[in-house]
Amino acid sequence: MKVLCFGSLNIDYVYRVDHVVRLGETEKSEEVSVNCGGKGLNQSVALARAGMTVSHAGMVGKDGQGLLDKCAENGIGTQYLRMIEGRCGHTIIQVDGEGNNSILLYGGANQCMTRAFIDEVLEGFEKGDVILLQNEINLLHAIIDKAYDRGMQIFLNPSPYHEALEKCDLRKISCFLLNEIEGEQMTGETKPEKILEALHEKYPSAKIVLTLGKEGSLYLDDAGMVRQEAFRVKAVDTTAAGDTFTGYFLYSQAAGMTPKEGLELASKAAALTVTRDGAMDSIPTMEEVMQYPWEEDQV
């Protein structure tokens, strides 16, 4: 079984602020850092650090050599990455004193996928292989259709949620991984159980994983619902927590773990992530996750 993450690669500009800037306000930042990121690349890194052999498909601009280097450093397959003219995708991230964040996203090279490139990439995959997708690249609907036609298992993190998802045939998704905000956007429901019920009714063949921040996570399939409490830690930066959770949960499924075991593993990994600064650099290795319970200064 091959695993492919087809998604975004971004350069993250992270600003430390007292609070997220309000409308019309100018606020000083005490600290700024520039990091490699993007939901797609973060999730590939999480898979790789969990121990999965994964390849990444996507595009970077002429300023993206650092992103390619980061893939290589993490053992991520780069044969499906292309450098094109123009700029990389990038984000401007505000992180407040409580570790909460606000993100402005510019698509850049992530919005330059072509059908020819999609066909070229997916030609190397077949029935039973796994593809992990997010919503930070263009032609997502075409990737889903092509992957489905090839019999791949399609894991989708529908983030950020916007109109591009309306073009997608979500009945082809094998597993949704989303947070409660995205769940509300997809269903109109606000209570976690209602979100799961609405998604299951609409996409009965899909597995559904719903993350709830400090309230833990839920899983639903035909066999029933599974709950997992969050692991309590001192949050420093929540930027890559969801991506870490996604990568580790997918790893658990590929490794043959039960949904309960997968939720527990992914929750531990996400909890350890938020105790550290940054996005990609905060994603832990499997060895670090398995050292739980962690040092006292992290909890």
Side-chain angles (χ1 to χ4, degrees):
M1 181 185 68
K2 298 178 183 177
V3 178
L4 173 71
C5 182
F6 203 140
S8 57
L9 305 96
N10 289 332
I11 299 173
D12 294 336
Y13 298 88
V14 184
Y15 297 84
R16 281 281 174 184
V17 295
D18 177 70
H19 59 271
V20 173
V21 176
R22 295 184 289 265
L23 183 65
E25 180 184 24
T26 299
E27 183 185 359
K28 67 177 181 178
S29 174
E30 300 294 344
E31 181 183 338
V32 63
S33 61
V34 182
N35 307 301
C36 296
K39 293 192 70 65
L41 184 52
N42 286 344
Q43 292 175 15
S44 280
V45 170
L47 281 164
R49 293 183 183 173
M52 178 70 67
T53 299
V54 58
S55 296
H56 193 98
M59 294 187 176
V60 299
K62 291 299 184 181
D63 53 343
Q65 185 59 49
L67 295 168
L68 302 182
D69 293 342
K70 186 63 71 171
C71 286
E73 289 171 14
N74 283 277
I76 296 167
T78 59
Q79 65 269 42
Y80 305 116
L81 289 171
R82 301 291 182 270
M83 181 176 284
I84 62 173
E85 296 295 331
R87 297 187 62 184
C88 287
H90 70 254
T91 60
I92 295 174
I93 304 175
Q94 300 176 59
V95 181
D96 69 17
E98 301 298 320
N100 299 308
N101 65 68
S102 177
I103 303 174
L104 176 65
L105 171 66
Y106 170 70
N110 296 315
Q111 296 299 311
C112 295
M113 308 301 154
T114 66
R115 290 180 181 271
F117 176 63
I118 294 167
D119 290 345
E120 177 188 346
V121 170
L122 295 187
E123 191 65 31
F125 295 85
E126 58 188 21
K127 183 176 181 179
D129 290 340
V130 173
I131 185 169
L132 173 60
L133 302 169
Q134 314 79 30
N135 194 30
E136 287 186 344
I137 59 175
N138 66 313
L139 292 180
L140 181 64
H141 65 287
I143 299 172
I144 290 174
D145 291 344
K146 184 72 174 181
Y148 184 82
D149 289 344
R150 299 195 70 80
M152 299 181 74
Q153 303 175 63
I154 306 172
F155 286 67
L156 174 65
N157 172 214
S159 176
Y161 187 89
H162 57 72
E163 66 279 358
L165 287 166
E166 296 175 6
K167 296 181 180 180
C168 300
D169 187 352
L170 299 181
R171 295 171 300 177
K172 297 177 178 179
I173 303 303
S174 307
C175 180
F176 292 95
L177 302 112
L178 68 168
N179 63 28
E180 54 191 325
I181 295 174
E182 294 144 9
E184 180 180 354
Q185 291 170 318
M186 289 185 70
T187 65
E189 301 287 351
T190 57
K191 295 183 178 180
E193 291 80 3
K194 291 293 185 181
I195 291 173
L196 288 176
E197 290 173 6
L199 287 172
H200 184 62
E201 182 176 351
K202 196 169 185 178
Y203 310 110
S205 62
K207 302 173 183 178
I208 304 163
V209 181
L210 183 66
T211 59
L212 306 170
K214 296 179 180 179
E215 301 305 314
S217 55
L218 297 171
Y219 171 94
L220 181 66
D221 63 14
D222 285 337
M225 185 181 297
V226 178
R227 296 176 181 270
Q228 173 65 47
E229 297 296 322
F231 289 84
R232 303 301 177 183
V233 294
K234 294 179 181 177
V236 174
D237 185 348
T238 62
T239 304
D243 296 333
T244 301
F245 188 103
T246 294
Y248 268 81
F249 185 82
L250 196 162
Y251 166 85
S252 76
Q253 296 305 284
M257 299 171 69
T258 67
K260 176 61 177 175
E261 292 170 336
L263 288 185
E264 181 177 351
L265 175 66
S267 296
K268 284 180 180 177
L272 191 52
T273 297
V274 305
T275 67
R276 303 167 171 178
D277 280 317
M280 184 183 303
D281 290 341
S282 70
I283 299 172
T285 64
M286 180 65 80
E287 181 180 1
E288 291 172 321
V289 174
M290 298 310 293
Q291 289 174 0
Y292 178 87
W294 305 301
E295 299 295 329
E296 291 184 3
D297 60 353
Q298 295 176 307
V299 300

